[in-house]
Amino acid sequence: MNWITQWKNWKGRHLNMEAKASIKAKLNSYSAPQDMGMPSMRPEQSERFEAVQKIRARRTKPKGFALPGISKSRDKITSFLQGNGIDAGIIEHIADSHYIFEAEDGTCVFVGYDGDTAKYAIVCETGEDDKAPVFVELPGSHKFVAWPCPANGESELLQVFEHPIGALQKMSEEKKAGIAWDHKHHLAVGGFRIEPIYYFTKNHPEIKTIAFCFGDDVAGRSIAEKYADEFRKRGMTCYIETKKKG
């Protein structure tokens, strides 16, 4: 290797070292801000950002379940339930069994249990006699628990309803007809949830037959047929009962 080639190699290495040193010096000269903060936003953007953050905080916050305070009276819920065609004796029985109670604000609270622990509740206003009952599920309610009225003893039959009022009306009709209304299980699933039916039948293995007593409308019949097919696959006898609204 001649001296010209050696000189070129040395110059190349020297230039590379200088380039690296220069780049390093530039990087070191950059001072990162102590607080980057949020990028500047218009007022409406800032408000939306804060709203979204609050929603995210609520969603990530653990959900607690707590029943409302219990009133010393049952007058409002008794009047409300009787106004919806429910037998006074059945109301007393269900209330004494702690499946319903009157809250301090006068609402009717239907309670569902997992064993002896309350894990579900659905609330209904009692003051609007001229309107159809509106049900609101209590926050933190367990998705596998619903409002039950178990049979007095073991029973192979489970009747499933959308809401508690329908179940109580069915019990009252059977009592009036001389049928033993308390010799079968009742379950109101708070709409059309299927999870509580799985859970209830698992905890009551004696159940062999399920009657789906949803509304006589397109949605009610369609879902009842779907659920009936699902539980037939599990070896159960299923049928659909309908009750025309009004």
Side-chain angles (χ1 to χ4, degrees):
M1 182 182 298
N2 59 33
W3 68 270
I4 296 177
T5 303
Q6 290 178 342
W7 180 82
K8 287 182 178 178
N9 290 341
W10 176 85
K11 186 178 180 181
R13 288 194 301 268
H14 182 69
L15 290 174
N16 286 338
M17 292 175 63
E18 286 183 343
K20 290 180 181 178
S22 175
I23 293 171
K24 186 175 181 180
K26 288 181 180 179
L27 289 174
N28 290 335
S29 68
Y30 296 150
S31 58
Q34 296 298 317
D35 182 9
M36 296 295 291
M38 292 299 299
S40 59
M41 292 185 287
R42 296 192 300 273
E44 62 272 18
Q45 290 177 316
S46 179
E47 291 176 4
R48 176 172 175 76
F49 174 80
E50 291 177 2
V52 171
Q53 292 298 95
K54 289 179 181 179
I55 293 171
R56 286 176 176 170
R58 288 198 299 269
R59 287 180 178 176
T60 56
K61 185 178 179 180
K63 295 180 179 179
F65 175 79
L67 292 172
I70 302 175
S71 171
K72 295 180 180 179
S73 172
R74 295 178 183 171
D75 293 345
K76 288 184 178 180
I77 66 169
T78 299
S79 176
F80 165 71
L81 294 171
Q82 285 185 314
N84 279 275
I86 297 166
D87 179 84
I90 291 178
I91 297 171
E92 183 178 4
H93 171 79
I94 300 297
D96 288 344
S97 301
H98 307 290
Y99 288 114
I100 61 171
F101 68 85
E102 182 175 316
E104 292 175 342
D105 62 0
T107 54
C108 185
V109 183
F110 301 86
V111 187
Y113 296 86
D114 185 11
D116 295 328
T117 305
K119 289 190 177 180
Y120 173 86
I122 192 167
V123 182
C124 185
E125 294 286 346
T126 58
E128 299 180 340
D129 297 332
D130 58 335
K131 296 182 180 180
V134 177
F135 298 92
V136 179
E137 191 175 275
L138 206 64
S141 291
H142 198 291
K143 68 179 292 185
F144 286 97
V145 181
W147 185 80
C149 182
N152 183 16
E154 289 193 354
S155 174
E156 294 186 355
L157 175 60
L158 169 64
Q159 294 180 330
V160 180
F161 302 83
E162 289 181 56
H163 294 295
I165 295 293
L168 291 168
Q169 288 173 337
K170 178 70 172 178
M171 297 177 206
S172 301
E173 291 170 2
E174 291 180 344
K175 181 180 179 180
K176 187 175 181 180
I179 301 172
W181 63 271
D182 59 345
H183 286 190
K184 65 204 71 172
H185 299 291
H186 303 82
L187 186 68
V189 296
F192 297 117
R193 295 183 301 141
I194 196 171
E195 294 90 351
I197 310 174
Y198 289 136
Y199 195 63
F200 193 87
T201 52
K202 178 182 178 181
N203 291 332
H204 295 82
E206 75 275 11
I207 294 174
K208 306 298 181 185
T209 303
I210 301 178
F212 292 95
C213 309
F214 295 154
D216 188 24
D217 51 24
V218 174
R221 290 192 63 86
S222 175
I223 294 173
E225 290 168 0
K226 178 181 177 181
Y227 288 0
D229 289 341
E230 174 64 25
F231 283 92
R232 287 188 187 110
K233 295 175 183 177
R234 295 170 173 257
M236 294 189 180
T237 300
C238 298
Y239 61 93
I240 298 171
E241 285 190 11
T242 58
K243 178 181 177 181
K244 293 183 178 179
K245 296 180 180 180

